[in-house]
Amino acid sequence: MRSPATDRTVGVLLPRDLPADRILPYARRAEESGFGAVWVVEDLGFRGGIAQAAAVLASTDRARVGIGLLPAGARNVAFAALEIASLAQLFPGRVDVAVGHGMPHWMRSVGQWPRSPLTFLREYVDALRALLRGELTQRRGQYVHLDGVQLDPSALPDVVPDILAGVRGPKSLALSGEVADGTVLAEPVAPEYARAALGHISAARPHRLVAYNIASVDADPLAALAAARPGLEWIGEPDWHAHIAPLPFADELVALRAGCASREEFARRMPDDWVARLAVAGTPAQARDRLDGLRAAGVTDTVLAPVGPDPLKALDSLASVLDA
């Protein structure tokens, strides 16, 4: 397979339900195809983010590996620091880690939804960064309690990974701008949403903006849109309102979802022009135009989520957006 120059600004998502024997071939194919990053997810009931990241890092040579995201309530911050420091020490300069609130219904189902998610995330990111820097850490916060905890010098990474926040609400975005090195936005991310999010983030120092998007590339633009459509069936639900609100057809989209009996019906009835605005979908040239629009809106890292029954075939199609 050809090995084009790596595009450091474009990564690909490792599907959460990919069969285990295809995970490492998928990651290697992504790197060989020129993607600059492979991102893994940690969704309740699927696979752990840290274990996936370790395997992908060990099976590739150059690609960055992002974990997006680790729910703060799922791991004590000191033990999270041990795991993250280990990855960063073993694979210097190749690790990105996003932490966040986690999906509320998932976290409530395991008894880990705090009374004040914002306070918890602020305390967590602050303590995690201090530990990764090797600081002797004392914390008596509302949620994070550390009594003289410190990583041993033998466990400290030479390159402290970026700690990003995976969030979506205005207050959480503002918090990310204060405490994190970047923000991860779940799909869909249209340029309008990226600009709105950056307005809330309002960071006073360099801040990455990582945008996930459903992606489908085909020589036939209508086939690409049809393939992307099922990946957008969730966006009519209330949790996704922040993604939709900045769009000119937001009210129409809400009304369409209210008039549909199921998410599947909603996805089928979405106009093609909405799908084109809500996904990186179309011909290679059209998809590259979408990436250019996202960069112009302030996105620093785009993560493409493949769709369709064959993720490796989809990955090969997506790689065409990397060719000039």
Side-chain angles (χ1 to χ4, degrees), residues 41-296:
V41 297
E42 181 170 272
D43 288 347
L44 184 62
F46 290 86
R47 297 186 177 102
I50 291 172
Q52 290 182 90
V56 171
L57 284 160
S59 67
T60 54
D61 298 316
R62 304 175 306 280
R64 295 179 72 89
V65 176
I67 307 175
L69 56 82
L70 299 177
R75 288 178 180 79
N76 175 280
V77 69
F79 287 90
L82 301 185
E83 300 282 6
I84 294 167
S86 297
L87 288 179
Q89 191 176 57
L90 291 166
F91 305 98
R94 295 182 58 204
V95 180
D96 293 314
V97 179
V99 297
H101 306 305
M103 294 297 286
H105 64 285
W106 288 346
M107 302 310 293
R108 290 189 178 101
S109 75
V110 297
Q112 295 297 331
W113 186 252
R115 184 167 296 179
S116 176
L118 286 171
T119 299
F120 185 21
L121 191 59
R122 179 186 295 276
E123 293 179 359
Y124 195 95
V125 172
D126 178 65
L128 181 59
R129 181 176 286 107
L131 289 165
L132 292 172
R133 289 174 175 169
E135 298 174 13
L136 182 64
T137 308
Q138 299 277 355
R139 293 291 187 278
R140 284 289 183 272
Q142 185 174 340
Y143 296 99
V144 174
H145 303 271
L146 297 171
D147 186 8
V149 179
Q150 186 175 30
L151 292 186
D152 188 84
S154 67
L156 290 175
D158 291 332
V159 180
V160 175
D162 283 349
I163 303 301
L164 303 99
V167 291
R168 59 162 54 104
K171 292 181 180 179
S172 295
L173 289 167
L175 174 62
S176 180
E178 291 181 43
V179 303
D181 299 308
T183 301
V184 176
L185 300 178
E187 71 280 3
V189 181
E192 295 90 340
Y193 176 44
R195 285 191 287 267
L198 284 170
H200 293 300
I201 291 167
S202 191
R205 58 190 178 90
H207 190 93
R208 293 167 61 188
L209 188 65
V210 180
Y212 285 14
N213 267 306
I214 298 297
S216 174
V217 178
D218 195 285
D220 179 351
L222 294 181
L225 293 175
R229 188 179 296 276
L232 298 171
E233 66 178 24
W234 293 92
I235 67 169
E237 307 307 309
D239 282 341
W240 273 260
H241 180 70
H243 302 243
I244 304 306
L247 296 169
F249 52 86
D251 292 342
E252 295 172 78
L253 188 148
V254 171
L256 176 62
R257 179 63 186 94
C260 293
S262 67
R263 293 190 298 269
E264 293 79 9
E265 179 188 354
F266 166 70
R268 285 196 306 271
R269 291 176 56 187
M270 272 196 295
D272 281 347
D273 60 331
W274 292 8
V275 177
R277 295 280 290 273
L278 293 164
V280 176
T283 65
Q286 289 171 331
R288 284 193 287 269
D289 285 345
R290 285 291 288 156
L291 296 183
D292 289 343
L294 290 166
R295 292 187 186 105

Side-chain angles (χ1 to χ4, degrees), residues 15 18-19 22 26 29 306-318:
L18 193 65
R22 303 186 78 184
Y26 180 96
R29 181 85 64 89
V307 292
D310 187 340
L312 284 173
K313 182 178 179 181
L315 184 62
D316 289 341
S317 296
L318 295 185

Side-chain angles (χ1 to χ4, degrees), residues 20-35:
D21 62 353
R22 303 186 78 184
I23 290 175
L24 301 186
Y26 180 96
R28 288 191 288 265
R29 181 85 64 89
E31 182 177 73
E32 291 165 0
S33 298
F35 288 100

